[in-house]
Amino acid sequence: MTDKLILRALKGETLPVPPIWMMRQAGRYLPEYRATRAQAGDFLSLCYNPELAAEVTLQPIRRYGFDAAILFADILLICQALGADLWFETGEGPRLSTITTPAELAALKPAHAIHDRLSPVYETVRRLSRDLPAQTTLIGFAGAPWTVATYMIAGRGTKDQGPAHALKAADRATFAALIDLITEATIDYLSEQVKAGAEVVKLFDSWAGSLKGQDFTDFAVKPVAHIIAELKRRHPGLPIIAFPREAGQGYIGFAKATGADCVAIDNSVSPDWAAAHVQRDGCVQGNLAPHHMVSGGPALVEATRAVVQAFRKGPHIFNLGHGITPDADPENVALMIETVRKG
Ligand code: 1CP
């Protein structure tokens, strides 16, 4: 039996006060993160340095006492482990070598070959499972196949995922084979994170909202359902959070269709709508708008209370609707937590 609050909510328990963590809680809005990142040199060096990656994961736990810590890494590390080049342009974001032809796809490594590159990540998880406070849940994660594929195809972040949609239309076999490769690699990657000590895993499908109709079923639901089924076969009882960001109506029935224990909700839908349509199938996570962490004040308190109030009748993990931004004020995070915990 466990008394960790996040695990209780994920099992479907309605708690008097929702447990809380925050997407990108280890990030540039924290001075201590900026200091450790400077020490590491660059972002990827930080991700692959178990001592420093564990340190930045622990920083927001020490400062705020969140109920969960999320492994510090990035959804794009798996692309590098599959053989793509990956680097981060300062002030711009990720850049990758692109996969748009059968030959480029064939040059990637097989799914089972990812672990050499990713072993420092597993070491970070091992350190965290040793060093976290007893009440804090450790969350591992990966990108969902569609979102990871959008970066591998375009070679960068895109507003509309145009290059991935174009490949899907022009050469569906290559596109589908890339999705399958990422799906298999993701199962192995998350399975190793669990073996190293992750107690929950989360799949980030940041660009799920750009898949419509049958494409949403084929590429946001099916690969995620397959990953979840296989992970639960290998690790019975493992709780899994899915985040099909901006899925809109696609949130309805997503937990049942994928087998996820919890659906994370972005802030483009209202908490009342999500409580009515999504929470009846189980635990939900979300969904305060991240801009409140910048602007603060009475509006933050009011919006935080509205989220807590909307979800109070069912299992809920309090979180933002997307990651906290670098311009956020750490004091506003403290105010949000105090409002959730003290009402
Ligand atoms: O400057 C820095 O320090 C880098 C900023 C940063 C950070 C803190 C990046 C670059 N990644 C991360 C860490 C990260 N990324 C975590 C760690 C755990 C946490 O604290 O939450 C996680 C879970 C992610 C996930 C991630 N990376 C997603 C999915 C969630 C989301 O935000 O939608 C995506 C899309 C990425 C790709 C990525 N990595 C970094 C950036 C700036 C981006 C977005 C690129 C783009 O589309 O323009």
Side-chain angles (χ1 to χ4, degrees):
M1 287 306 285
T2 173
D3 53 10
K4 292 192 185 186
L5 295 173
I6 296 264
L7 298 177
R8 284 169 60 184
L10 287 168
K11 285 201 173 110
E13 195 175 329
T14 304
L15 296 161
V17 173
I20 178 166
W21 69 280
M22 189 174 71
M23 282 186 268
R24 293 277 171 100
Q25 62 191 21
R28 276 176 291 174
Y29 75 104
L30 287 180
E32 59 268 36
Y33 170 86
R34 296 195 297 270
T36 308
R37 195 184 137 175
Q39 194 188 337
D42 59 42
F43 174 66
L44 281 177
S45 307
L46 178 55
C47 290
Y48 289 121
N49 182 321
E51 187 189 342
L52 298 184
E55 166 58 22
V56 293
T57 306
L58 291 165
Q59 286 168 350
I61 307 305
R62 285 189 207 115
R63 188 188 263 257
Y64 298 115
F66 283 115
D67 294 294
I70 184 161
L71 162 70
F72 189 85
D74 195 81
I75 65 162
L76 301 178
L77 302 185
I78 202 166
C79 311
Q80 201 171 30
L82 284 167
D85 295 330
L86 171 69
W87 68 102
F88 280 79
E89 294 281 348
T90 313
E92 290 197 39
R95 294 290 182 273
L96 302 93
S97 51
T98 58
I99 309 295
T100 57
T101 65
E104 285 162 351
L105 177 69
L108 291 175
K109 293 179 189 165
H112 63 79
I114 60 173
H115 302 303
D116 273 355
R117 191 68 188 230
L118 295 171
S119 60
V121 176
Y122 311 142
E123 176 58 22
T124 305
V125 176
R126 275 190 288 276
R127 282 171 182 252
L128 287 167
S129 87
R130 186 190 67 201
D131 294 344
L132 276 169
Q135 70 277 16
T136 314
T137 301
L138 178 55
I139 303 176
F141 75 92
W146 159 249
T147 287
V148 174
T150 66
Y151 289 93
M152 293 188 83
I153 294 164
R156 59 195 298 161
T158 50
K159 279 203 164 60
D160 59 359
Q161 297 71 59
H165 286 291
L167 182 66
K168 171 160 57 64
D171 183 354
R172 197 156 176 110
T174 300
F175 175 80
L178 178 61
I179 293 281
D180 286 347
L181 175 64
I182 298 166
T183 300
E184 293 311 314
T186 301
I187 292 166
D188 278 1
Y189 182 36
L190 290 175
S191 191
E192 288 305 309
Q193 291 183 29
V194 173
K195 287 187 216 160
E199 299 170 280
V200 174
V201 297
K202 178 171 174 184
L203 285 161
F204 285 87
D205 212 350
S206 304
W207 303 118
S210 83
L211 290 168
K212 304 295 175 197
Q214 190 61 38
D215 276 350
F216 185 83
T217 304
D218 289 346
F219 302 117
V221 175
K222 283 184 186 166
V224 167
H226 178 62
I227 292 167
I228 292 175
E230 183 57 22
L231 284 173
K232 285 185 180 271
R233 194 185 65 75
R234 295 189 195 180
H235 310 281
L238 173 69
I240 301 177
I241 304 171
F243 182 33
R245 192 170 71 89
E246 293 190 359
Q249 297 291 318
Y251 280 126
I252 300 173
F254 196 82
K256 277 190 180 150
T258 58
D261 300 272
C262 175
V263 177
I265 311 279
D266 74 89
N267 50 282
S268 71
V269 298
S270 80
D272 290 312
W273 180 89
H277 295 97
V278 192
Q279 198 182 28
R280 57 173 188 213
D281 291 338
C283 187
V284 292
Q285 177 180 284
N287 71 339
L288 182 69
H291 70 77
H292 287 296
M293 298 302 103
V294 182
S295 47
L300 181 166
V301 173
E302 197 183 321
T304 300
R305 285 185 182 145
V307 171
V308 172
Q309 190 67 14
F311 293 119
R312 77 186 186 287
K313 290 185 178 150
H316 177 217
I317 297 169
F318 191 96
N319 205 308
L320 302 180
H322 198 195
I324 188 169
T325 51
D327 55 345
D329 180 345
E331 290 300 322
N332 290 334
V333 176
L335 179 59
M336 169 184 73
I337 295 170
E338 190 191 300
T339 304
V340 171
R341 293 192 173 150
K342 297 197 183 133

